[in-house]
Amino acid sequence: KVQGQVLFDELDRFDSENRLHHIPREMGLPIHVFTDIGYSDNTSLIFAQFVGNNINILNYYENSRCSVDDYIAVINKLYGENAIVHLPHDASKAESTGETVRQYWEKRCRVSYDAPNFQGNLPRLSNEEYLNRVKVGFSRIHIDDNESNRTLLDHLRMYRRKWIEGLSMFSDPIHDIHSHAFDALKYLFTWEGSSGPQHNAVTARYKSGIRRG
């Protein structure tokens, strides 16, 4: 056990129920890509399908100091036009070019239009609400047994709170190399609980006029 492990109970149940196993891709359903975008920090991508009540995680990818085009190339190589990208709440901030992160992605891959109040990006929630959604929904997670997803699980197992000796209490979860994978996962449950498929998605909504692939 990792001291202060945030998802201890959820991962213990995950292991006992053997939910790391071979998962075939459902060809009739889209691949949803949940992104935690960084540059000097890791960018993390989770690739998932919603099948009945299950959330099937098929792949995980992470890297740092890469261009957006590099990540889009990975998405297109894995799943092409079947991939639907969900962007975090801050993707509408302008870059030095004057173009927003969202506008750049929209020109190059399929981007879901999720929350109107956040310019189509995923809504921003409190840290407590993010964590609650992950904990409540984690029992529906199944993960394909491959090397990329083992990296994802390693990060989730190491996502932890720090013990503060003088106060005899744990801190909020630590922002470190392991937290980016959790952030991508929290965006999955943000979408699924706010504007998503309610367990059985076939399509996502799009803003009229944007490129669909």
Side-chain angles (χ1 to χ4, degrees):
K1 179 182 177 179
V2 176
Q3 185 184 42
Q5 187 179 43
V6 174
L7 297 177
F8 175 78
D9 291 336
E10 291 74 21
L11 287 165
D12 186 58
R13 179 177 174 185
F14 174 89
D15 292 334
S16 69
E17 294 177 349
N18 298 310
R19 286 187 275 124
L20 176 67
H21 56 92
H22 172 64
I23 300 176
R25 175 183 169 186
E26 294 286 340
M27 298 306 294
L29 296 177
I31 308 293
H32 294 271
V33 187
F34 298 94
T35 63
D36 180 57
I37 301 172
Y39 180 70
S40 56
D41 289 341
N42 275 356
T43 287
S44 296
L45 308 176
I46 289 178
F47 300 82
Q49 287 190 306
F50 295 79
V51 183
N53 194 49
N54 291 347
I55 301 170
N56 293 344
I57 295 179
L58 303 182
N59 291 99
Y60 174 74
Y61 181 82
E62 64 177 24
N63 215 326
S64 62
R65 297 189 178 277
C66 295
S67 70
V68 170
D69 291 323
D70 292 328
Y71 296 115
I72 292 173
V74 169
I75 293 169
N76 287 334
K77 181 179 180 180
L78 285 173
Y79 297 112
E81 293 185 359
N82 292 309
I84 301 172
V85 177
H86 302 266
L87 294 175
H89 59 85
D90 57 356
S92 289
K93 64 182 180 182
E95 300 288 271
S96 59
T97 61
E99 189 174 46
T100 68
V101 172
R102 181 178 182 86
Q103 287 169 338
Y104 193 90
W105 281 76
E106 284 178 340
K107 292 177 180 177
R108 291 161 177 82
C109 60
R110 299 177 71 185
V111 176
S112 182
Y113 187 75
D114 294 322
N117 290 344
F118 288 85
Q119 294 79 51
N121 306 315
L122 292 168
R124 183 171 189 170
L125 307 177
S126 68
N127 290 337
E128 181 179 357
E129 179 62 17
Y130 281 134
L131 182 56
N132 180 63
R133 290 195 184 198
V134 173
K135 284 180 168 289
V136 169
F138 203 88
S139 63
R140 295 168 40 228
I141 290 282
H142 291 253
I143 300 180
D144 186 53
D145 189 1
N146 62 56
E147 184 177 354
S148 74
N149 285 336
R150 287 186 176 273
T151 299
L152 169 63
L153 278 170
D154 287 344
H155 285 314
L156 296 179
R157 295 186 198 284
M158 293 301 297
Y159 184 59
R160 63 189 180 90
R161 305 176 189 271
K162 183 178 180 179
W163 178 252
I164 305 173
E165 191 65 41
L167 299 177
S168 297
M169 62 180 289
F170 283 105
S171 68
D172 290 335
I174 298 171
H175 176 78
D176 61 9
I177 192 172
H178 305 296
S179 61
H180 307 291
F182 176 85
D183 286 345
L185 186 64
K186 80 184 184 185
Y187 291 134
L188 182 157
F189 285 107
T190 300
W191 178 70
E192 202 265 349
S194 298
S195 56
Q198 299 304 315
H199 319 327
N200 195 19
V202 176
T203 60
R205 295 177 298 141
Y206 295 88
K207 185 175 181 180
S208 59
I210 73 167
R211 182 179 181 277
R212 299 193 179 193

